[in-house]
Amino acid sequence: MTDQLRDEYDVVVVGGGAAGLSGALTLGRARRSVAVIDAGAPRNAPAEGVHGLLGREGIAPADLVEQGRGEVRRYGGHVVDATVTSAVRVGDGFEVTLADGRTVRARRLLVTTGLVDQLPDIPGLRERWGRDLVHCPYCHGWEVRDRAIGVLGTGPMSLHQVGLFRQWSADLTYFVHTGPMPSAEQAEELAARGIRVVTGEVVAVETTADRISGVRLRDGAVVAREVLVAGARMVARAGFLTELGLSVVEHVSGMGEHIAADPTGRTEVPGVWVAGNVTDLTAQVGAAAAAAVVAAAQINAELIAEETRAAVEEYRNSARPEAVPVS
Ligand SMILES: Cc1cc2nc3c(=O)[nH]c(=O)nc-3n(C[C@H](O)[C@H](O)[C@H](O)COP(=O)(O)OP(=O)(O)OC[C@H]3O[C@@H](n4cnc5c(N)ncnc54)[C@H](O)[C@@H]3O)c2cc1C
């Protein structure tokens, strides 16, 4: 169901994944008018279930979003299927433009648009993402335990990933590819833990019967593997914020680009808040949702302060101010 979009809201939430819907739920329960505008492509959509989420362990990503949309609507929030293409400041608030040309005004913006996982350009790889090509041991480690796993070197964190996945399987191969070559000390650690190292360039992922079956190297050799691990470069989806003067910056970890914010989600542009993967690249579902609750509470507090200032001004300017009893 697509809700009717009104002209104006207290808060427009851009992005309706775990973060956006949690923020909107908090705002709706705070009696704020709120619209969630969502393009409908949460990052974990290819996965069969959401893991490590207390109370909802294993729920399908689409079911979690659908239930969240229902909870937001229960408190009067609108959920609109659309993509935001730009946002500009108008007076004290913002005007947001959607891809279909509609516009909507908001006093505050909560941006929860998540990120894009940029995978290495290796034939056969992308199609397996979220199934037998995984990145996060806490999301998928249990599901791939004791399988023949290959970790594909893609960036500075690849050796860290190798060390982590050893907790879930003893049958582990590190394909250096474009990742770091182990130092002498690291090579000793890998050998001590029974982890094989393959230095040849990876040119393709082999599949059989809709499953990964191996990794093909430049010299033609195929190393049999059932599961691959690859770290993607993570880039926040935030192009529509450019006109507001907000753009992505390199994350200190070297793992990607994000929108910088303080611990409550406040950005350098007054009135624009961020939560979830758009700012915290490594947040899982629970952390993304929790961060948006914090941001929503801060937004509500800021709106209350603004409304109190306006009320005081009106009170002082009124011809015969009502006496306020002071005990
Ligand atoms: C394959 C995979 C499996 C995962 N498994 C797990 C797991 O088991 N457990 C776990 O805790 N975490 C898991 N994660 C991490 C999880 O996906 C993130 O923690 C979570 O999606 C972050 O929520 P978010 O709301 O910040 O972003 P998202 O869930 O990505 O939601 C962002 C939303 O914003 C929308 N959007 C983007 N741009 C616009 C725009 N311009 N206008 C309107 N809407 C827009 C998107 O379409 C999307 O619906 C997994 C990640 C991947 C990649």
Short mmCIF file of all heavy atoms in Angstrom, two decimals, residues 14-20 37-44 47 49-51 82-84 112-114 117 129-130 135 139-140 237 240 275-277 283-286 288, ligand 1:
data_model
loop_
_atom_site.label_atom_id
_atom_site.label_comp_id
_atom_site.label_asym_id
_atom_site.label_seq_id
_atom_site.Cartn_x
_atom_site.Cartn_y
_atom_site.Cartn_z
N VAL A 14 13.96 9.90 5.07
CA VAL A 14 14.33 9.44 3.73
C VAL A 14 15.02 8.08 3.89
O VAL A 14 16.12 7.99 4.44
CB VAL A 14 15.27 10.42 3.01
CG1 VAL A 14 15.46 9.98 1.56
CG2 VAL A 14 14.71 11.84 3.06
N GLY A 15 14.32 7.03 3.43
CA GLY A 15 14.85 5.67 3.58
C GLY A 15 14.06 4.91 4.62
O GLY A 15 13.97 5.35 5.78
N GLY A 16 13.47 3.79 4.22
CA GLY A 16 12.60 3.05 5.14
C GLY A 16 13.08 1.64 5.42
O GLY A 16 12.32 0.68 5.35
N GLY A 17 14.36 1.51 5.76
CA GLY A 17 14.86 0.22 6.25
C GLY A 17 14.72 0.19 7.76
O GLY A 17 13.85 0.88 8.34
N ALA A 18 15.56 -0.63 8.41
CA ALA A 18 15.47 -0.77 9.87
C ALA A 18 15.62 0.57 10.56
O ALA A 18 14.88 0.90 11.51
CB ALA A 18 16.54 -1.74 10.35
N ALA A 19 16.55 1.39 10.10
CA ALA A 19 16.79 2.68 10.76
C ALA A 19 15.60 3.62 10.54
O ALA A 19 15.03 4.15 11.50
CB ALA A 19 18.08 3.30 10.23
N GLY A 20 15.23 3.83 9.29
CA GLY A 20 14.18 4.81 8.99
C GLY A 20 12.86 4.47 9.67
O GLY A 20 12.19 5.35 10.22
N ILE A 37 9.83 8.07 3.22
CA ILE A 37 9.87 7.91 1.77
C ILE A 37 10.93 6.87 1.46
O ILE A 37 12.11 7.05 1.83
CB ILE A 37 10.17 9.27 1.09
CG1 ILE A 37 9.06 10.24 1.47
CG2 ILE A 37 10.26 9.09 -0.42
CD1 ILE A 37 9.30 11.65 1.06
N ASP A 38 10.50 5.80 0.84
CA ASP A 38 11.41 4.65 0.74
C ASP A 38 11.46 4.06 -0.66
O ASP A 38 10.42 3.74 -1.25
CB ASP A 38 10.96 3.56 1.73
CG ASP A 38 11.90 2.37 1.71
OD1 ASP A 38 13.12 2.58 1.58
OD2 ASP A 38 11.40 1.22 1.79
N ALA A 39 12.67 3.89 -1.16
CA ALA A 39 12.87 3.33 -2.49
C ALA A 39 12.76 1.80 -2.50
O ALA A 39 12.78 1.19 -3.58
CB ALA A 39 14.23 3.76 -3.04
N GLY A 40 12.68 1.18 -1.33
CA GLY A 40 12.36 -0.24 -1.26
C GLY A 40 13.49 -1.20 -1.58
O GLY A 40 13.23 -2.32 -2.03
N ALA A 41 14.74 -0.81 -1.32
CA ALA A 41 15.86 -1.72 -1.58
C ALA A 41 16.79 -1.79 -0.37
O ALA A 41 17.92 -1.28 -0.41
CB ALA A 41 16.63 -1.26 -2.82
N PRO A 42 16.32 -2.40 0.74
CA PRO A 42 17.21 -2.51 1.90
C PRO A 42 18.44 -3.34 1.56
O PRO A 42 18.38 -4.25 0.73
CB PRO A 42 16.34 -3.18 2.97
CG PRO A 42 15.22 -3.82 2.24
CD PRO A 42 15.02 -3.03 0.98
N ARG A 43 19.53 -3.01 2.19
CA ARG A 43 20.82 -3.61 1.84
C ARG A 43 20.83 -5.14 1.97
O ARG A 43 21.46 -5.83 1.19
CB ARG A 43 21.85 -3.00 2.79
CG ARG A 43 23.24 -3.43 2.56
CD ARG A 43 24.13 -2.75 3.58
NE ARG A 43 25.43 -3.34 3.54
CZ ARG A 43 26.20 -3.52 4.60
NH1 ARG A 43 25.79 -3.12 5.79
NH2 ARG A 43 27.37 -4.08 4.47
N ASN A 44 20.11 -5.65 2.96
CA ASN A 44 20.16 -7.10 3.20
C ASN A 44 19.10 -7.86 2.41
O ASN A 44 18.85 -9.04 2.67
CB ASN A 44 20.01 -7.40 4.70
CG ASN A 44 18.74 -6.79 5.29
OD1 ASN A 44 18.06 -6.03 4.63
ND2 ASN A 44 18.45 -7.15 6.53
N ALA A 47 19.51 -11.56 1.39
CA ALA A 47 19.70 -12.59 2.43
C ALA A 47 18.38 -13.28 2.74
O ALA A 47 17.30 -12.67 2.63
CB ALA A 47 20.26 -11.95 3.69
N GLY A 49 17.49 -14.40 5.70
CA GLY A 49 16.99 -14.04 7.03
C GLY A 49 17.87 -13.01 7.71
O GLY A 49 19.02 -12.83 7.33
N VAL A 50 17.30 -12.34 8.70
CA VAL A 50 18.07 -11.39 9.51
C VAL A 50 18.50 -12.13 10.77
O VAL A 50 17.65 -12.63 11.51
CB VAL A 50 17.20 -10.17 9.91
CG1 VAL A 50 18.00 -9.20 10.76
CG2 VAL A 50 16.63 -9.49 8.68
N HIS A 51 19.80 -12.19 10.99
CA HIS A 51 20.31 -12.94 12.15
C HIS A 51 20.93 -12.01 13.19
O HIS A 51 21.37 -10.91 12.87
CB HIS A 51 21.31 -14.00 11.68
CG HIS A 51 20.67 -15.03 10.79
ND1 HIS A 51 19.79 -15.96 11.27
CD2 HIS A 51 20.75 -15.22 9.45
CE1 HIS A 51 19.34 -16.71 10.26
NE2 HIS A 51 19.92 -16.28 9.14
N ALA A 82 8.76 5.68 -2.91
CA ALA A 82 9.29 6.68 -3.85
C ALA A 82 10.78 6.89 -3.56
O ALA A 82 11.28 6.48 -2.50
CB ALA A 82 8.55 8.01 -3.71
N THR A 83 11.45 7.54 -4.51
CA THR A 83 12.88 7.84 -4.34
C THR A 83 13.05 9.35 -4.24
O THR A 83 12.49 10.10 -5.05
CB THR A 83 13.66 7.31 -5.56
OG1 THR A 83 13.46 5.90 -5.64
CG2 THR A 83 15.15 7.61 -5.44
N VAL A 84 13.81 9.77 -3.25
CA VAL A 84 14.12 11.20 -3.11
C VAL A 84 15.31 11.53 -4.00
O VAL A 84 16.34 10.83 -3.98
CB VAL A 84 14.45 11.53 -1.63
CG1 VAL A 84 15.01 12.94 -1.50
CG2 VAL A 84 13.20 11.36 -0.78
N THR A 112 18.13 8.08 6.34
CA THR A 112 18.46 6.70 6.70
C THR A 112 18.50 5.85 5.43
O THR A 112 17.83 4.82 5.33
CB THR A 112 17.38 6.15 7.68
OG1 THR A 112 16.09 6.38 7.07
CG2 THR A 112 17.44 6.84 9.03
N THR A 113 19.27 6.32 4.46
CA THR A 113 19.25 5.71 3.12
C THR A 113 20.24 4.56 2.97
O THR A 113 20.34 3.99 1.88
CB THR A 113 19.56 6.79 2.08
OG1 THR A 113 20.62 7.62 2.57
CG2 THR A 113 18.35 7.67 1.82
N GLY A 114 20.98 4.22 4.03
CA GLY A 114 21.84 3.06 3.94
C GLY A 114 23.04 3.27 3.03
O GLY A 114 23.47 4.41 2.78
N ASP A 117 26.99 -1.66 -1.35
CA ASP A 117 28.17 -2.53 -1.24
C ASP A 117 28.80 -2.65 -2.62
O ASP A 117 28.20 -3.24 -3.53
CB ASP A 117 27.74 -3.92 -0.75
CG ASP A 117 27.26 -3.90 0.68
OD1 ASP A 117 28.10 -3.78 1.58
OD2 ASP A 117 26.03 -3.99 0.90
N TRP A 129 25.84 -12.78 -4.03
CA TRP A 129 25.86 -11.89 -2.85
C TRP A 129 24.68 -12.17 -1.91
O TRP A 129 23.53 -12.22 -2.35
CB TRP A 129 25.83 -10.44 -3.34
CG TRP A 129 25.89 -9.38 -2.30
CD1 TRP A 129 24.99 -8.38 -2.12
CD2 TRP A 129 26.92 -9.15 -1.33
NE1 TRP A 129 25.40 -7.54 -1.10
CE2 TRP A 129 26.57 -8.00 -0.59
CE3 TRP A 129 28.11 -9.82 -0.99
CZ2 TRP A 129 27.37 -7.49 0.45
CZ3 TRP A 129 28.89 -9.32 0.04
CH2 TRP A 129 28.52 -8.17 0.75
N GLY A 130 25.01 -12.35 -0.64
CA GLY A 130 23.97 -12.57 0.37
C GLY A 130 23.50 -14.01 0.43
O GLY A 130 22.66 -14.35 1.26
N HIS A 135 29.79 -11.53 3.77
CA HIS A 135 30.81 -10.59 4.22
C HIS A 135 30.94 -10.53 5.74
O HIS A 135 32.00 -10.22 6.26
CB HIS A 135 30.48 -9.18 3.70
CG HIS A 135 29.27 -8.58 4.36
ND1 HIS A 135 28.03 -9.16 4.30
CD2 HIS A 135 29.13 -7.48 5.13
CE1 HIS A 135 27.17 -8.43 4.99
NE2 HIS A 135 27.82 -7.41 5.50
N CYS A 139 26.47 -12.09 10.73
CA CYS A 139 25.22 -12.24 9.98
C CYS A 139 25.08 -13.65 9.43
O CYS A 139 23.99 -14.21 9.41
CB CYS A 139 25.17 -11.26 8.80
SG CYS A 139 25.39 -9.54 9.26
N HIS A 140 26.18 -14.23 8.92
CA HIS A 140 26.08 -15.48 8.15
C HIS A 140 26.97 -16.62 8.69
O HIS A 140 26.89 -17.72 8.19
CB HIS A 140 26.52 -15.26 6.70
CG HIS A 140 25.99 -14.03 6.06
ND1 HIS A 140 24.74 -13.96 5.49
CD2 HIS A 140 26.54 -12.80 5.87
CE1 HIS A 140 24.55 -12.75 4.99
NE2 HIS A 140 25.62 -12.03 5.21
N ARG A 237 24.57 6.07 0.54
CA ARG A 237 23.69 6.62 -0.52
C ARG A 237 23.25 8.01 -0.07
O ARG A 237 22.34 8.13 0.75
CB ARG A 237 22.45 5.76 -0.65
CG ARG A 237 22.64 4.37 -1.18
CD ARG A 237 21.24 3.77 -1.19
NE ARG A 237 21.18 2.42 -1.64
CZ ARG A 237 20.66 1.42 -0.92
NH1 ARG A 237 20.21 1.66 0.30
NH2 ARG A 237 20.59 0.21 -1.42
N PHE A 240 21.58 12.83 -3.02
CA PHE A 240 20.49 13.83 -3.04
C PHE A 240 20.69 14.94 -2.01
O PHE A 240 19.93 15.90 -1.98
CB PHE A 240 19.15 13.13 -2.80
CG PHE A 240 19.02 12.54 -1.43
CD1 PHE A 240 18.41 13.25 -0.41
CD2 PHE A 240 19.54 11.29 -1.15
CE1 PHE A 240 18.31 12.71 0.87
CE2 PHE A 240 19.45 10.75 0.12
CZ PHE A 240 18.84 11.46 1.12
N ALA A 275 21.09 8.31 10.44
CA ALA A 275 21.18 7.12 11.30
C ALA A 275 21.29 5.88 10.43
O ALA A 275 20.87 5.88 9.28
CB ALA A 275 19.94 7.01 12.20
N GLY A 276 21.87 4.83 11.02
CA GLY A 276 22.01 3.57 10.29
C GLY A 276 23.25 3.57 9.41
O GLY A 276 24.20 4.34 9.62
N ASN A 277 23.23 2.73 8.39
CA ASN A 277 24.43 2.50 7.56
C ASN A 277 24.89 3.74 6.80
O ASN A 277 26.03 3.81 6.37
CB ASN A 277 24.18 1.37 6.57
CG ASN A 277 24.36 -0.01 7.16
OD1 ASN A 277 23.97 -1.00 6.55
ND2 ASN A 277 24.96 -0.11 8.34
N ALA A 283 27.10 -0.86 11.10
CA ALA A 283 25.93 -1.14 11.95
C ALA A 283 25.12 -2.30 11.39
O ALA A 283 24.77 -2.30 10.21
CB ALA A 283 25.05 0.10 12.06
N GLN A 284 24.80 -3.25 12.25
CA GLN A 284 23.84 -4.29 11.86
C GLN A 284 22.44 -3.76 12.12
O GLN A 284 22.25 -2.61 12.54
CB GLN A 284 24.13 -5.57 12.64
CG GLN A 284 25.44 -6.21 12.21
CD GLN A 284 25.67 -7.52 12.94
OE1 GLN A 284 26.45 -7.58 13.87
NE2 GLN A 284 24.97 -8.55 12.53
N VAL A 285 21.45 -4.60 11.85
CA VAL A 285 20.05 -4.14 11.90
C VAL A 285 19.70 -3.53 13.27
O VAL A 285 19.13 -2.43 13.34
CB VAL A 285 19.10 -5.30 11.54
CG1 VAL A 285 17.66 -4.97 11.89
CG2 VAL A 285 19.22 -5.62 10.05
N GLY A 286 20.07 -4.23 14.34
CA GLY A 286 19.72 -3.74 15.69
C GLY A 286 20.36 -2.39 15.97
O GLY A 286 19.71 -1.48 16.51
N ALA A 288 21.45 -0.18 13.76
CA ALA A 288 20.90 0.85 12.86
C ALA A 288 19.57 1.36 13.41
O ALA A 288 19.31 2.57 13.46
CB ALA A 288 20.71 0.27 11.45
C1 LIG B 1 23.80 -9.59 2.33
C2 LIG B 1 23.64 -8.93 3.67
C3 LIG B 1 23.15 -9.64 4.74
C4 LIG B 1 22.99 -9.04 5.98
N1 LIG B 1 22.55 -9.77 7.04
C5 LIG B 1 22.37 -9.19 8.24
C6 LIG B 1 21.94 -9.97 9.35
O1 LIG B 1 21.72 -11.18 9.26
N2 LIG B 1 21.77 -9.33 10.52
C7 LIG B 1 22.01 -7.98 10.69
O2 LIG B 1 21.80 -7.47 11.78
N3 LIG B 1 22.45 -7.24 9.65
C8 LIG B 1 22.63 -7.81 8.43
N4 LIG B 1 23.09 -7.07 7.38
C9 LIG B 1 23.31 -5.62 7.58
C10 LIG B 1 21.98 -4.89 7.36
O3 LIG B 1 21.62 -5.01 5.99
C11 LIG B 1 22.11 -3.42 7.76
O4 LIG B 1 22.50 -3.35 9.11
C12 LIG B 1 20.78 -2.68 7.63
O5 LIG B 1 20.22 -2.88 6.35
C13 LIG B 1 20.98 -1.18 7.90
O6 LIG B 1 19.72 -0.57 7.92
P1 LIG B 1 19.51 0.90 7.30
O7 LIG B 1 18.11 1.22 7.62
O8 LIG B 1 20.60 1.79 7.73
O9 LIG B 1 19.70 0.72 5.71
P2 LIG B 1 18.85 -0.16 4.67
O10 LIG B 1 18.26 -1.34 5.34
O11 LIG B 1 19.74 -0.41 3.51
O12 LIG B 1 17.64 0.77 4.25
C14 LIG B 1 17.85 1.94 3.50
C15 LIG B 1 16.56 2.20 2.70
O13 LIG B 1 16.66 3.50 2.11
C16 LIG B 1 16.18 3.42 0.79
N5 LIG B 1 16.76 4.54 0.01
C17 LIG B 1 18.03 4.72 -0.40
N6 LIG B 1 18.16 5.86 -1.09
C18 LIG B 1 16.92 6.43 -1.11
C19 LIG B 1 16.40 7.64 -1.66
N7 LIG B 1 17.18 8.50 -2.31
N8 LIG B 1 15.08 7.89 -1.51
C20 LIG B 1 14.27 7.04 -0.83
N9 LIG B 1 14.72 5.88 -0.27
C21 LIG B 1 16.03 5.59 -0.41
C22 LIG B 1 16.63 2.05 0.31
O14 LIG B 1 15.89 1.64 -0.82
C23 LIG B 1 16.36 1.21 1.56
O15 LIG B 1 15.04 0.71 1.57
C24 LIG B 1 23.32 -7.66 6.15
C25 LIG B 1 23.84 -6.94 5.07
C26 LIG B 1 24.00 -7.57 3.85
C27 LIG B 1 24.58 -6.78 2.70
#
